[in-house]
CSV table of all heavy atoms in Angstrom, one decimal:
chain,number,residue,atom,x,y,z
A,1,MET,N,-77.2,135.2,58.2
A,1,MET,CA,-76.3,134.5,57.3
A,1,MET,C,-75.0,134.1,57.9
A,1,MET,O,-74.3,134.9,58.5
A,1,MET,CB,-76.1,135.4,56.1
A,1,MET,CG,-75.1,134.9,55.1
A,1,MET,SD,-75.3,135.8,53.6
A,1,MET,CE,-73.5,135.9,53.1
A,2,SER,N,-74.7,132.8,57.9
A,2,SER,CA,-73.5,132.4,58.5
A,2,SER,C,-72.4,132.0,57.5
A,2,SER,O,-72.7,131.5,56.5
A,2,SER,CB,-73.8,131.1,59.4
A,2,SER,OG,-74.2,130.1,58.5
A,3,VAL,N,-71.2,132.5,57.8
A,3,VAL,CA,-70.1,132.2,57.0
A,3,VAL,C,-69.1,131.4,57.7
A,3,VAL,O,-68.9,131.5,58.9
A,3,VAL,CB,-69.5,133.5,56.5
A,3,VAL,CG1,-70.3,134.1,55.4
A,3,VAL,CG2,-69.3,134.5,57.6
A,4,SER,N,-68.5,130.5,57.0
A,4,SER,CA,-67.5,129.6,57.6
A,4,SER,C,-66.1,130.0,57.4
A,4,SER,O,-65.2,129.5,58.0
A,4,SER,CB,-67.8,128.2,57.1
A,4,SER,OG,-67.7,128.1,55.7
A,5,ALA,N,-65.9,130.9,56.4
A,5,ALA,CA,-64.5,131.3,56.1
A,5,ALA,C,-64.0,132.3,57.2
A,5,ALA,O,-64.8,133.1,57.7
A,5,ALA,CB,-64.5,132.0,54.7
A,6,PRO,N,-62.7,132.2,57.4
A,6,PRO,CA,-62.1,133.1,58.4
A,6,PRO,C,-61.9,134.5,57.7
A,6,PRO,O,-62.0,134.7,56.5
A,6,PRO,CB,-60.8,132.5,58.7
A,6,PRO,CG,-60.4,131.7,57.5
A,6,PRO,CD,-61.8,131.3,56.9
A,7,CYS,N,-61.6,135.5,58.6
A,7,CYS,CA,-61.2,136.8,58.1
A,7,CYS,C,-60.0,136.7,57.2
A,7,CYS,O,-59.1,136.0,57.5
A,7,CYS,CB,-60.8,137.7,59.3
A,7,CYS,SG,-60.1,139.3,58.8
A,8,GLU,N,-60.2,137.3,56.0
A,8,GLU,CA,-59.1,137.2,55.0
A,8,GLU,C,-57.9,138.1,55.3
A,8,GLU,O,-56.9,138.0,54.6
A,8,GLU,CB,-59.7,137.5,53.6
A,8,GLU,CG,-60.8,136.5,53.2
A,8,GLU,CD,-61.1,136.6,51.8
A,8,GLU,OE1,-60.3,137.0,51.0
A,8,GLU,OE2,-62.3,136.4,51.4
A,9,ILE,N,-58.0,138.9,56.3
A,9,ILE,CA,-56.9,139.7,56.7
A,9,ILE,C,-56.1,139.1,57.9
A,9,ILE,O,-54.9,139.0,57.8
A,9,ILE,CB,-57.4,141.1,57.0
A,9,ILE,CG1,-58.0,141.8,55.8
A,9,ILE,CG2,-56.2,142.0,57.6
A,9,ILE,CD1,-58.5,143.2,56.0
A,10,CYS,N,-56.8,138.7,58.9
A,10,CYS,CA,-56.1,138.3,60.1
A,10,CYS,C,-56.3,136.8,60.3
A,10,CYS,O,-55.6,136.2,61.2
A,10,CYS,CB,-56.5,139.1,61.3
A,10,CYS,SG,-58.2,138.7,61.9
A,11,GLY,N,-57.2,136.2,59.6
A,11,GLY,CA,-57.5,134.8,59.8
A,11,GLY,C,-58.4,134.4,61.0
A,11,GLY,O,-58.6,133.2,61.3
A,12,SER,N,-58.9,135.4,61.6
A,12,SER,CA,-59.8,135.2,62.7
A,12,SER,C,-61.1,134.5,62.2
A,12,SER,O,-61.6,134.9,61.1
A,12,SER,CB,-60.1,136.5,63.4
A,12,SER,OG,-61.2,136.4,64.2
A,13,ALA,N,-61.6,133.7,63.0
A,13,ALA,CA,-62.9,133.0,62.6
A,13,ALA,C,-64.1,133.9,62.9
A,13,ALA,O,-65.2,133.5,62.6
A,13,ALA,CB,-63.0,131.7,63.4
A,14,ASP,N,-63.8,135.0,63.5
A,14,ASP,CA,-64.9,135.9,63.9
A,14,ASP,C,-65.3,136.8,62.7
A,14,ASP,O,-65.3,138.0,62.9
A,14,ASP,CB,-64.4,136.7,65.1
A,14,ASP,CG,-65.5,137.6,65.7
A,14,ASP,OD1,-66.7,137.2,65.5
A,14,ASP,OD2,-65.2,138.6,66.3
A,15,VAL,N,-65.7,136.2,61.6
A,15,VAL,CA,-66.0,137.0,60.5
A,15,VAL,C,-67.5,137.5,60.6
A,15,VAL,O,-68.4,136.7,60.8
A,15,VAL,CB,-65.9,136.2,59.2
A,15,VAL,CG1,-66.5,136.9,58.0
A,15,VAL,CG2,-64.4,135.9,58.9
A,16,SER,N,-67.7,138.7,60.4
A,16,SER,CA,-69.1,139.2,60.5
A,16,SER,C,-69.4,140.2,59.3
A,16,SER,O,-70.6,140.5,59.2
A,16,SER,CB,-69.2,140.0,61.8
A,16,SER,OG,-68.3,141.0,61.9
A,17,GLU,N,-68.5,140.6,58.5
A,17,GLU,CA,-68.8,141.5,57.5
A,17,GLU,C,-68.1,141.1,56.1
A,17,GLU,O,-67.2,140.4,56.1
A,17,GLU,CB,-68.2,142.9,57.8
A,17,GLU,CG,-68.6,143.4,59.2
A,17,GLU,CD,-70.0,143.8,59.3
A,17,GLU,OE1,-70.7,143.9,58.3
A,17,GLU,OE2,-70.5,144.0,60.4
A,18,THR,N,-68.7,141.7,55.1
A,18,THR,CA,-68.1,141.5,53.7
A,18,THR,C,-67.8,142.9,53.1
A,18,THR,O,-68.7,143.7,53.1
A,18,THR,CB,-69.1,140.7,52.8
A,18,THR,OG1,-69.4,139.5,53.4
A,18,THR,CG2,-68.4,140.4,51.5
A,19,CYS,N,-66.6,143.0,52.6
A,19,CYS,CA,-66.3,144.3,52.0
A,19,CYS,C,-67.1,144.6,50.8
A,19,CYS,O,-67.3,143.7,50.0
A,19,CYS,CB,-64.8,144.2,51.6
A,19,CYS,SG,-64.3,145.7,50.7
A,20,ASN,N,-67.6,145.8,50.7
A,20,ASN,CA,-68.5,146.1,49.6
A,20,ASN,C,-67.7,146.4,48.3
A,20,ASN,O,-68.2,146.7,47.3
A,20,ASN,CB,-69.4,147.3,49.9
A,20,ASN,CG,-70.4,147.0,50.9
A,20,ASN,OD1,-71.0,145.9,50.9
A,20,ASN,ND2,-70.7,147.8,51.8
A,21,ARG,N,-66.4,146.4,48.4
A,21,ARG,CA,-65.5,146.8,47.3
A,21,ARG,C,-64.9,145.6,46.7
A,21,ARG,O,-64.9,145.3,45.6
A,21,ARG,CB,-64.5,147.8,47.7
A,21,ARG,CG,-63.7,148.3,46.6
A,21,ARG,CD,-62.9,149.5,47.1
A,21,ARG,NE,-62.0,150.0,46.1
A,21,ARG,CZ,-60.7,149.8,46.0
A,21,ARG,NH1,-60.1,149.0,47.0
A,21,ARG,NH2,-59.9,150.3,45.1
A,22,CYS,N,-64.2,144.8,47.6
A,22,CYS,CA,-63.4,143.7,47.1
A,22,CYS,C,-64.0,142.3,47.5
A,22,CYS,O,-63.6,141.3,47.2
A,22,CYS,CB,-62.0,143.7,47.6
A,22,CYS,SG,-61.8,143.5,49.4
A,23,ALA,N,-65.1,142.4,48.3
A,23,ALA,CA,-65.9,141.2,48.7
A,23,ALA,C,-65.1,140.3,49.6
A,23,ALA,O,-65.4,139.1,49.7
A,23,ALA,CB,-66.4,140.5,47.5
A,24,LYS,N,-64.1,140.8,50.2
A,24,LYS,CA,-63.4,140.1,51.2
A,24,LYS,C,-64.3,139.8,52.4
A,24,LYS,O,-65.0,140.7,52.8
A,24,LYS,CB,-62.1,140.8,51.7
A,24,LYS,CG,-60.9,140.5,51.0
A,24,LYS,CD,-59.7,141.1,51.8
A,24,LYS,CE,-58.4,140.7,51.2
A,24,LYS,NZ,-57.8,141.7,50.3
A,25,LEU,N,-64.1,138.6,53.0
A,25,LEU,CA,-64.8,138.4,54.3
A,25,LEU,C,-63.8,138.8,55.4
A,25,LEU,O,-62.7,138.4,55.5
A,25,LEU,CB,-65.0,136.9,54.4
A,25,LEU,CG,-66.0,136.3,53.4
A,25,LEU,CD1,-66.0,134.8,53.5
A,25,LEU,CD2,-67.4,136.8,53.7
A,26,VAL,N,-64.3,139.7,56.2
A,26,VAL,CA,-63.5,140.3,57.3
A,26,VAL,C,-64.2,140.3,58.6
A,26,VAL,O,-65.4,140.3,58.7
A,26,VAL,CB,-63.0,141.7,56.9
A,26,VAL,CG1,-62.0,141.7,55.7
A,26,VAL,CG2,-64.2,142.6,56.6
A,27,CYS,N,-63.4,140.2,59.6
A,27,CYS,CA,-63.9,140.3,61.0
A,27,CYS,C,-64.2,141.8,61.3
A,27,CYS,O,-63.9,142.7,60.5
A,27,CYS,CB,-62.9,139.8,62.0
A,27,CYS,SG,-61.4,140.8,62.2
A,28,ASP,N,-64.9,141.9,62.4
A,28,ASP,CA,-65.3,143.3,62.8
A,28,ASP,C,-64.2,144.3,62.9
A,28,ASP,O,-64.3,145.4,62.6
A,28,ASP,CB,-66.0,143.1,64.2
A,28,ASP,CG,-67.0,144.2,64.4
A,28,ASP,OD1,-67.8,144.5,63.5
A,28,ASP,OD2,-67.0,144.8,65.5
A,29,ARG,N,-63.0,143.8,63.3
A,29,ARG,CA,-61.9,144.7,63.5
A,29,ARG,C,-61.3,145.2,62.2
A,29,ARG,O,-60.6,146.2,62.1
A,29,ARG,CB,-60.8,144.0,64.3
A,29,ARG,CG,-61.1,143.9,65.8
A,29,ARG,CD,-60.0,143.1,66.5
A,29,ARG,NE,-59.9,141.8,65.9
A,29,ARG,CZ,-59.2,140.8,66.3
A,29,ARG,NH1,-58.4,141.0,67.4
A,29,ARG,NH2,-59.2,139.6,65.8
A,30,HIS,N,-61.6,144.4,61.1
A,30,HIS,CA,-61.0,144.8,59.8
A,30,HIS,C,-62.1,145.3,58.9
A,30,HIS,O,-61.9,145.2,57.7
A,30,HIS,CB,-60.2,143.6,59.3
A,30,HIS,CG,-59.0,143.3,60.1
A,30,HIS,ND1,-58.9,142.1,60.8
A,30,HIS,CD2,-57.9,144.1,60.4
A,30,HIS,CE1,-57.7,142.2,61.5
A,30,HIS,NE2,-57.2,143.3,61.2
A,31,PHE,N,-63.2,145.7,59.4
A,31,PHE,CA,-64.3,146.2,58.6
A,31,PHE,C,-64.5,147.7,59.0
A,31,PHE,O,-64.7,148.0,60.2
A,31,PHE,CB,-65.5,145.4,58.8
A,31,PHE,CG,-66.7,145.9,57.9
A,31,PHE,CD1,-66.7,145.6,56.6
A,31,PHE,CD2,-67.7,146.6,58.5
A,31,PHE,CE1,-67.8,146.0,55.8
A,31,PHE,CE2,-68.8,147.0,57.7
A,31,PHE,CZ,-68.8,146.7,56.4
A,32,ASN,N,-64.5,148.5,58.0
A,32,ASN,CA,-64.7,150.0,58.2
A,32,ASN,C,-66.2,150.2,58.0
A,32,ASN,O,-66.7,150.3,56.9
A,32,ASN,CB,-63.9,150.8,57.3
A,32,ASN,CG,-63.9,152.3,57.7
A,32,ASN,OD1,-65.0,152.8,58.0
A,32,ASN,ND2,-62.8,152.9,57.6
A,33,GLU,N,-66.9,150.4,59.1
A,33,GLU,CA,-68.4,150.6,59.0
A,33,GLU,C,-68.8,151.9,58.3
A,33,GLU,O,-69.8,152.0,57.6
A,33,GLU,CB,-69.0,150.6,60.4
A,33,GLU,CG,-69.0,149.2,61.0
A,33,GLU,CD,-69.7,149.2,62.3
A,33,GLU,OE1,-70.4,150.1,62.6
A,33,GLU,OE2,-69.6,148.2,63.0
A,34,GLU,N,-67.9,152.9,58.4
A,34,GLU,CA,-68.2,154.1,57.7
A,34,GLU,C,-68.3,154.0,56.2
A,34,GLU,O,-69.0,154.7,55.6
A,34,GLU,CB,-67.2,155.2,58.2
A,34,GLU,CG,-67.3,155.5,59.6
A,34,GLU,CD,-66.2,156.5,60.1
A,34,GLU,OE1,-65.5,157.1,59.2
A,34,GLU,OE2,-66.0,156.7,61.3
A,35,THR,N,-67.4,153.2,55.7
A,35,THR,CA,-67.3,153.1,54.2
A,35,THR,C,-68.0,151.9,53.7
A,35,THR,O,-68.4,151.8,52.6
A,35,THR,CB,-65.8,153.1,53.8
A,35,THR,OG1,-65.2,152.1,54.4
A,35,THR,CG2,-65.2,154.4,54.1
A,36,GLY,N,-68.1,150.9,54.6
A,36,GLY,CA,-68.6,149.6,54.1
A,36,GLY,C,-67.5,148.7,53.5
A,36,GLY,O,-67.8,147.7,52.8
A,37,TYR,N,-66.3,149.2,53.6
A,37,TYR,CA,-65.2,148.4,53.1
A,37,TYR,C,-64.3,147.8,54.1
A,37,TYR,O,-64.4,148.2,55.3
A,37,TYR,CB,-64.3,149.4,52.3
A,37,TYR,CG,-65.0,150.1,51.1
A,37,TYR,CD1,-64.4,151.3,50.6
A,37,TYR,CD2,-66.1,149.6,50.5
A,37,TYR,CE1,-65.0,152.0,49.6
A,37,TYR,CE2,-66.7,150.3,49.5
A,37,TYR,CZ,-66.2,151.4,49.0
A,37,TYR,OH,-66.8,152.1,48.0
A,38,CYS,N,-63.5,146.9,53.7
A,38,CYS,CA,-62.5,146.3,54.6
A,38,CYS,C,-61.4,147.4,54.9
A,38,CYS,O,-61.4,148.4,54.1
A,38,CYS,CB,-61.9,145.1,54.0
A,38,CYS,SG,-60.8,145.3,52.6
A,39,VAL,N,-60.6,147.2,55.9
A,39,VAL,CA,-59.7,148.3,56.2
A,39,VAL,C,-58.6,148.5,55.1
A,39,VAL,O,-58.1,149.6,54.9
A,39,VAL,CB,-58.9,147.9,57.5
A,39,VAL,CG1,-59.9,148.0,58.7
A,39,VAL,CG2,-58.3,146.6,57.4
A,40,GLU,N,-58.4,147.4,54.3
A,40,GLU,CA,-57.4,147.6,53.2
A,40,GLU,C,-58.0,148.5,52.1
A,40,GLU,O,-57.3,149.4,51.6
A,40,GLU,CB,-57.1,146.2,52.6
A,40,GLU,CG,-56.3,145.4,53.6
A,40,GLU,CD,-55.8,144.1,52.9
A,40,GLU,OE1,-56.4,143.7,51.8
A,40,GLU,OE2,-54.9,143.4,53.5
A,41,CYS,N,-59.2,148.3,51.8
A,41,CYS,CA,-59.9,149.2,50.8
A,41,CYS,C,-60.0,150.6,51.3
A,41,CYS,O,-59.8,151.5,50.6
A,41,CYS,CB,-61.2,148.6,50.4
A,41,CYS,SG,-61.1,147.1,49.4
A,42,ALA,N,-60.4,150.6,52.6
A,42,ALA,CA,-60.7,151.9,53.2
A,42,ALA,C,-59.4,152.7,53.2
A,42,ALA,O,-59.4,153.9,52.9
A,42,ALA,CB,-61.2,151.8,54.6
A,43,ALA,N,-58.3,152.1,53.4
A,43,ALA,CA,-57.0,152.7,53.4
A,43,ALA,C,-56.6,153.1,52.0
A,43,ALA,O,-56.0,154.1,51.8
A,43,ALA,CB,-55.9,151.8,54.1
A,44,GLU,N,-57.0,152.2,51.1
A,44,GLU,CA,-56.6,152.4,49.7
A,44,GLU,C,-57.3,153.7,49.1
A,44,GLU,O,-56.7,154.5,48.4
A,44,GLU,CB,-56.9,151.2,48.9
A,44,GLU,CG,-56.0,151.0,47.7
A,44,GLU,CD,-56.4,149.6,47.0
A,44,GLU,OE1,-56.2,148.6,47.7
A,44,GLU,OE2,-56.8,149.7,45.9
A,45,ILE,N,-58.5,153.7,49.3
A,45,ILE,CA,-59.3,154.8,48.7
A,45,ILE,C,-59.1,156.1,49.5
A,45,ILE,O,-59.4,157.2,49.0
A,45,ILE,CB,-60.8,154.5,48.7
A,45,ILE,CG1,-61.3,154.4,50.1
A,45,ILE,CG2,-61.1,153.3,47.8
A,45,ILE,CD1,-62.8,154.2,50.1
A,46,GLY,N,-58.6,156.0,50.7
A,46,GLY,CA,-58.4,157.2,51.5
A,46,GLY,C,-59.7,157.7,52.0
A,46,GLY,O,-60.5,158.3,51.3
A,47,SER,N,-60.0,157.3,53.2
A,47,SER,CA,-61.3,157.6,53.8
A,47,SER,C,-61.6,159.1,53.8
A,47,SER,O,-60.8,159.9,54.3
A,47,SER,CB,-61.4,157.0,55.2
A,47,SER,OG,-62.6,157.3,55.7
A,48,THR,N,-62.8,159.4,53.3
A,48,THR,CA,-63.2,160.8,53.4
A,48,THR,C,-64.2,161.0,54.5
A,48,THR,O,-64.6,162.1,54.8
A,48,THR,CB,-63.8,161.3,52.1
A,48,THR,OG1,-64.8,160.3,51.7
A,48,THR,CG2,-62.8,161.3,51.0
A,49,THR,N,-64.7,159.9,55.1
A,49,THR,CA,-65.7,160.0,56.1
A,49,THR,C,-65.2,159.8,57.5
A,49,THR,O,-65.9,160.0,58.4
A,49,THR,CB,-66.8,158.9,55.8
A,49,THR,OG1,-66.2,157.6,55.7
A,49,THR,CG2,-67.5,159.2,54.5
A,50,SER,N,-64.0,159.4,57.6
A,50,SER,CA,-63.4,159.2,58.9
A,50,SER,C,-63.0,160.6,59.5
A,50,SER,O,-63.2,161.6,58.9
A,50,SER,CB,-62.2,158.3,58.9
A,50,SER,OG,-61.2,158.8,58.2
A,51,ASP,N,-62.3,160.5,60.6
A,51,ASP,CA,-61.9,161.7,61.2
A,51,ASP,C,-61.3,162.8,60.3
A,51,ASP,O,-60.4,162.5,59.5
A,51,ASP,CB,-60.8,161.4,62.3
A,51,ASP,CG,-61.4,160.5,63.4
A,51,ASP,OD1,-62.4,159.9,63.1
A,51,ASP,OD2,-60.8,160.4,64.4
A,52,THR,N,-61.8,163.9,60.4
A,52,THR,CA,-61.3,165.0,59.5
A,52,THR,C,-59.9,165.4,59.8
A,52,THR,O,-59.6,165.8,61.0
A,52,THR,CB,-62.2,166.2,59.6
A,52,THR,OG1,-63.5,165.8,59.4
A,52,THR,CG2,-61.8,167.3,58.5
A,53,VAL,N,-59.0,165.3,58.8
A,53,VAL,CA,-57.7,165.7,59.1
A,53,VAL,C,-57.5,167.1,58.5
A,53,VAL,O,-57.7,167.3,57.3
A,53,VAL,CB,-56.7,164.8,58.4
A,53,VAL,CG1,-55.2,165.1,58.7
A,53,VAL,CG2,-57.0,163.3,58.8
A,54,PRO,N,-57.2,168.1,59.4
A,54,PRO,CA,-57.1,169.5,58.9
A,54,PRO,C,-56.0,169.7,57.9
A,54,PRO,O,-56.2,170.3,56.9
A,54,PRO,CB,-56.7,170.2,60.2
A,54,PRO,CG,-56.3,169.2,61.2
A,54,PRO,CD,-56.9,167.9,60.8
A,55,GLU,N,-54.9,169.0,58.1
A,55,GLU,CA,-53.8,169.1,57.1
A,55,GLU,C,-53.4,167.7,56.7
A,55,GLU,O,-53.4,166.8,57.5
A,55,GLU,CB,-52.6,169.9,57.6
A,55,GLU,CG,-52.9,171.4,57.6
A,55,GLU,CD,-51.8,172.2,58.3
A,55,GLU,OE1,-50.7,172.0,57.9
A,55,GLU,OE2,-52.1,173.0,59.2
A,56,GLN,N,-52.9,167.6,55.5
A,56,GLN,CA,-52.5,166.3,55.0
A,56,GLN,C,-51.4,165.7,55.9
A,56,GLN,O,-50.3,166.2,56.0
A,56,GLN,CB,-51.9,166.5,53.6
A,56,GLN,CG,-51.6,165.1,52.9
A,56,GLN,CD,-52.7,164.7,52.0
A,56,GLN,OE1,-53.5,165.4,51.5
A,56,GLN,NE2,-52.7,163.4,51.6
A,57,ALA,N,-51.8,164.6,56.5
A,57,ALA,CA,-50.8,163.9,57.3
A,57,ALA,C,-50.0,162.9,56.5
A,57,ALA,O,-50.6,162.4,55.5
A,57,ALA,CB,-51.5,163.2,58.5
A,58,ASP,N,-48.8,162.7,56.8
A,58,ASP,CA,-48.0,161.8,56.1
A,58,ASP,C,-48.2,160.4,56.6
A,58,ASP,O,-47.5,159.9,57.5
A,58,ASP,CB,-46.5,162.2,56.2
A,58,ASP,CG,-45.8,162.0,54.9
A,58,ASP,OD1,-46.4,161.6,53.9
A,58,ASP,OD2,-44.6,162.1,54.9
A,59,MET,N,-49.3,159.8,56.1
A,59,MET,CA,-49.6,158.4,56.6
A,59,MET,C,-49.0,157.4,55.7
A,59,MET,O,-49.1,157.5,54.5
A,59,MET,CB,-51.2,158.3,56.6
A,59,MET,CG,-51.8,159.2,57.6
A,59,MET,SD,-53.6,159.3,57.4
A,59,MET,CE,-54.0,157.6,58.0
A,60,PRO,N,-48.5,156.3,56.3
A,60,PRO,CA,-48.0,155.2,55.5
A,60,PRO,C,-49.2,154.4,54.9
A,60,PRO,O,-50.3,154.3,55.5
A,60,PRO,CB,-47.3,154.4,56.6
A,60,PRO,CG,-47.9,154.8,57.9
A,60,PRO,CD,-48.3,156.2,57.7
A,61,ASP,N,-49.0,153.9,53.8
A,61,ASP,CA,-50.0,153.1,53.1
A,61,ASP,C,-50.4,151.9,53.8
A,61,ASP,O,-49.6,151.1,54.2
A,61,ASP,CB,-49.5,152.8,51.7
A,61,ASP,CG,-49.8,153.9,50.7
A,61,ASP,OD1,-50.5,154.8,51.0
A,61,ASP,OD2,-49.2,153.8,49.6
A,62,GLY,N,-51.7,151.7,53.9
A,62,GLY,CA,-52.2,150.4,54.4
A,62,GLY,C,-52.0,150.3,55.9
A,62,GLY,O,-52.5,149.3,56.5
A,63,VAL,N,-51.4,151.2,56.6
A,63,VAL,CA,-51.2,151.1,58.0
A,63,VAL,C,-52.1,152.1,58.7
A,63,VAL,O,-51.8,153.3,58.7
A,63,VAL,CB,-49.8,151.3,58.4
A,63,VAL,CG1,-49.6,151.1,59.9
A,63,VAL,CG2,-48.9,150.3,57.7
A,64,ASP,N,-53.2,151.7,59.1
A,64,ASP,CA,-54.2,152.6,59.8
A,64,ASP,C,-54.2,152.3,61.2
A,64,ASP,O,-53.4,152.6,62.1
A,64,ASP,CB,-55.5,152.5,59.1
A,64,ASP,CG,-56.4,153.7,59.5
A,64,ASP,OD1,-55.9,154.6,60.2
A,64,ASP,OD2,-57.5,153.7,59.1
A,65,THR,N,-55.3,151.5,61.6
A,65,THR,CA,-55.4,151.0,63.0
A,65,THR,C,-55.3,149.5,63.0
A,65,THR,O,-56.2,148.8,62.7
A,65,THR,CB,-56.7,151.5,63.6
A,65,THR,OG1,-57.7,151.1,62.7
A,65,THR,CG2,-56.7,153.0,63.9
A,66,TYR,N,-54.1,149.1,63.2
A,66,TYR,CA,-53.9,147.6,63.2
A,66,TYR,C,-53.7,147.1,64.6
A,66,TYR,O,-52.6,147.0,65.1
A,66,TYR,CB,-52.7,147.3,62.3
A,66,TYR,CG,-52.6,145.8,62.0
A,66,TYR,CD1,-53.4,145.3,61.0
A,66,TYR,CD2,-51.8,145.0,62.8
A,66,TYR,CE1,-53.3,143.9,60.7
A,66,TYR,CE2,-51.7,143.7,62.5
A,66,TYR,CZ,-52.5,143.1,61.4
A,66,TYR,OH,-52.4,141.8,61.2
A,67,GLU,N,-54.8,146.9,65.2
A,67,GLU,CA,-54.7,146.4,66.6
A,67,GLU,C,-55.0,144.9,66.6
A,67,GLU,O,-55.7,144.4,65.8
A,67,GLU,CB,-55.8,147.1,67.4
A,67,GLU,CG,-55.7,148.6,67.5
A,67,GLU,CD,-56.8,149.2,68.2
A,67,GLU,OE1,-57.9,148.6,68.4
A,67,GLU,OE2,-56.7,150.4,68.6
A,68,PHE,N,-54.3,144.3,67.5
A,68,PHE,CA,-54.5,142.9,67.7
A,68,PHE,C,-54.7,142.5,69.1
A,68,PHE,O,-54.0,143.0,70.0
A,68,PHE,CB,-53.3,142.1,67.1
A,68,PHE,CG,-53.7,140.7,66.7
A,68,PHE,CD1,-54.5,140.5,65.6
A,68,PHE,CD2,-53.4,139.7,67.5
A,68,PHE,CE1,-54.8,139.2,65.2
A,68,PHE,CE2,-53.7,138.4,67.2
A,68,PHE,CZ,-54.4,138.1,66.1
B,1,ZN,ZN1,-59.6,140.3,60.8
B,2,ZN,ZN1,-62.0,145.4,50.6
């Protein structure tokens, strides 16, 4: 299935996934495969499947791994 829309987060044309929560079209870098969500949703719900954090870390909202 080919999509012509760019990633709704970074604007990259390299879109390969659709968020299962908000239906955003996102590129590989902004798709969390563990949850099936875009990174925004994954950050919002607070991932329970990613790396186990022994103690509650003080993480800023929406800023997870933003590499470019
Ligand atoms: Zn992107
Ligand atoms: Zn989403």
